Amino acid sequence: MNSTALAEEAKKEKKKISLSFIQPSGNITLGNYLGALSNWVKIQDSGEFDCLYAVADLHALTVRHDPSELRKLIYQALATLLGCGIDPEKSIVFLQSHVHQHAELGWILDCYTMFGELSRMTQFKDKSAKYADNINAGLFTYPSLMAADILLYQTDVVPVGQDQKQHIEIARDIATRFNGLYGNTFKIPEPYITKSSAKIASLVDPTKKMSKSDTNANAIITVLDTDDQIIKKFKRAVTDSGSEVKMGEGKDGINNLIGIYSAVTDMTTEEVERQFEGKGYGDFKLACGEVVADRIRPIRERILDYMNNKDYLERVAQRGAEQASRLAQRTMDKVFKKVGLVAKPRG
Ligand code: AQP
């Protein structure tokens, strides 16, 4: 290797690790896109990080799915990562279940995670209320598997929406506890929350976050919605009884729409307010629908193309799993040693 190549390698070595996962629990929404995926692409393209992006299919098992529907959603989530601009030549892209170290470290971390701290997780409380007939152990221990997802790769930053902050905090607590017992084993990850990753709300109930598992199709914009569907949903979006396009206390509906418009157009919320001065909610909702439809259209078209090329998706997943597994095993070897397990024979 010549000196330039060596310098390049050394630079590469020093790059920080960024990691993010998306659950295949429904069609990916505008909330997922603006809050997460669009930032993931920017982080990847900045060249400052080595990025890992995965479909969190094991996490999706915490709620019941029809198996063939789940399989379709997993392919679709992978196609969506690519369709939004995640490039498998620049980032490691894989399915969580294809890298066995996630489940292994997840179990080990379960043994270092306290019942009390899991009981306090907002997502557990929300999901156990929503799926009252299926409050399974996986739903409860979800945060320790998520901690494993992050800690396996000695991740520096986790770009997430505001809603996931608590999960990063518990991952940090688990890592700190483990490091305290056994010495430095895991890098302590930082959440990376940008302005546009602030919560995008439901179009029907703007006090709730926009979630892909929402059963009301009008509440969410998905990356597979047609232009017409997007515009109709924005026209019907719930707003308060006012008429001025201005952010304000208790005006959750209009605040959400201004936030969406600002994220999609890269304008500040003040600029959006100025642009729509003197215009009513009707005009603004239509404009929102149009800018979102313009942004989603090329993404939707790419996702549909990828969905028609399952062989390609499988090749991406296989290569990504091999790359991820090599990295993950380094951490697993360390963890085995630290906790007193016997190293696995190398076959
Ligand atoms: N409404 C949202 N606004 C901003 N960011 C959001 N994210 C999700 N919803 C919003 C971000 O998307 C990333 C991937 O999310 P996930 O699939 O891992 O889990 P989630 O947060 O539980 O997403 P959903 O859509 O609400 O799924 P379901 O309905 O299955 O629970 C995360 O970075 C998240 O912050």
Side-chain angles (χ1 to χ4, degrees):
M1 204 182 275
N2 65 31
S3 60
T4 328
L6 271 174
E8 268 313 300
E9 274 302 303
K11 217 166 107 200
K12 228 165 128 195
E13 285 289 308
K14 271 196 244 127
K15 274 192 192 173
K16 289 193 168 182
I17 309 268
S18 170
L19 166 142
S20 266
F21 281 42
I22 186 142
Q23 281 196 73
S25 43
N27 288 333
I28 285 158
T29 69
L30 182 68
N32 300 128
Y33 176 68
L34 293 177
L37 287 153
S38 62
N39 292 319
W40 300 356
V41 175
K42 283 187 197 147
I43 290 168
Q44 164 194 271
D45 292 344
S46 75
E48 284 173 38
F49 296 91
D50 282 329
C51 300
L52 294 112
Y53 295 114
V55 176
D57 48 0
L58 293 177
H59 284 291
L61 297 178
T62 53
V63 299
R64 293 278 174 266
H65 288 280
D66 170 68
S68 61
E69 180 61 15
L70 177 61
R71 205 164 294 121
K72 190 172 136 213
L73 288 173
I74 294 171
Y75 279 113
Q76 198 170 295
L78 185 57
T80 304
L81 285 176
L82 306 182
C84 288
I86 301 298
D87 177 353
E89 295 302 322
K90 296 182 185 162
S91 299
I92 298 179
V93 184
F94 62 102
L95 307 182
Q96 179 192 28
S97 61
H98 287 188
V99 180
H100 60 85
Q101 290 89 345
H102 287 262
E104 287 175 15
L105 184 60
W107 169 255
I108 293 175
L109 294 185
D110 272 344
C111 304
Y112 296 86
T113 308
M114 300 302 139
F115 183 87
E117 59 190 344
L118 291 174
S119 315
R120 288 191 291 275
M121 299 303 288
T122 315
Q123 180 173 290
F124 173 68
K125 290 187 206 156
D126 290 350
K127 291 218 163 158
S128 43
K130 192 165 163 190
Y131 305 104
D133 57 345
N134 181 26
I135 307 176
N136 58 70
L139 201 59
F140 189 63
T141 61
Y142 182 113
S144 36
L145 179 58
M146 181 161 162
D149 299 336
I150 298 168
L151 302 178
L152 263 181
Y153 301 99
Q154 307 296 338
T155 303
D156 293 279
V157 293
V158 190
V160 283
Q162 186 69 39
D163 61 305
Q164 285 290 338
K165 199 163 164 245
Q166 200 187 20
H167 280 136
I168 312 301
E169 275 159 13
I170 193 172
R172 288 167 58 88
D173 292 345
I174 296 169
T176 306
R177 180 173 305 132
F178 194 100
N179 288 351
L181 285 168
Y182 300 111
N184 209 6
T185 312
F186 300 120
K187 172 97 49 88
I188 309 295
E190 296 283 343
Y192 180 78
I193 300 172
T194 59
K195 184 178 77 75
S196 66
S197 49
K199 191 166 100 175
I200 305 294
S202 150
L203 297 187
V204 168
D205 177 357
T207 60
K208 274 183 17 195
K209 86 164 179 166
M210 184 181 285
S211 269
K212 56 178 122 59
S213 58
D214 201 316
T215 48
N216 183 346
N218 287 325
I220 62 177
I221 302 290
T222 84
V223 289
L224 292 177
D225 283 346
T226 62
D227 290 10
D228 257 14
Q229 286 171 320
I230 294 173
I231 288 169
K232 273 198 194 118
K233 288 182 192 182
F234 272 101
K235 278 189 184 162
R236 289 195 200 124
V238 170
T239 38
D240 52 275
S241 55
S243 60
E244 246 192 320
V245 181
K246 215 164 176 34
M247 308 272 289
E249 187 86 17
K251 293 168 66 182
D252 298 310
I254 201 70
N255 292 349
N256 186 38
L257 296 185
I258 294 177
I260 292 174
Y261 194 94
S262 133
V264 172
T265 58
D266 255 336
M267 290 164 74
T268 64
T269 53
E270 292 76 19
E271 285 167 342
V272 179
E273 288 173 349
R274 267 200 301 281
Q275 181 177 329
F276 288 91
E277 224 172 85
K279 302 238 169 75
Y281 282 177
D283 289 338
F284 181 56
K285 286 183 189 178
L286 178 63
C288 268
E290 285 172 349
V291 291
V292 171
D294 286 345
R295 174 65 85 87
I296 296 294
R297 190 179 314 115
I299 295 175
R300 176 181 66 237
E301 287 166 359
R302 286 195 294 269
I303 297 172
L304 294 175
D305 277 350
Y306 285 122
M307 290 293 287
N308 285 327
N309 196 347
K310 223 165 139 185
D311 285 353
Y312 176 71
L313 291 178
E314 283 168 359
R315 281 201 302 278
V316 167
Q318 187 185 345
R319 178 162 168 246
E322 286 162 6
Q323 295 170 311
S325 187
R326 265 197 302 277
L327 293 175
Q329 194 52 44
R330 291 190 203 157
T331 301
M332 281 315 285
D333 287 346
K334 247 190 188 176
V335 169
F336 263 51
K337 220 186 245 166
K338 299 270 184 174
V339 299
L341 294 174
V342 174
K344 283 189 204 176
R346 297 260 183 244

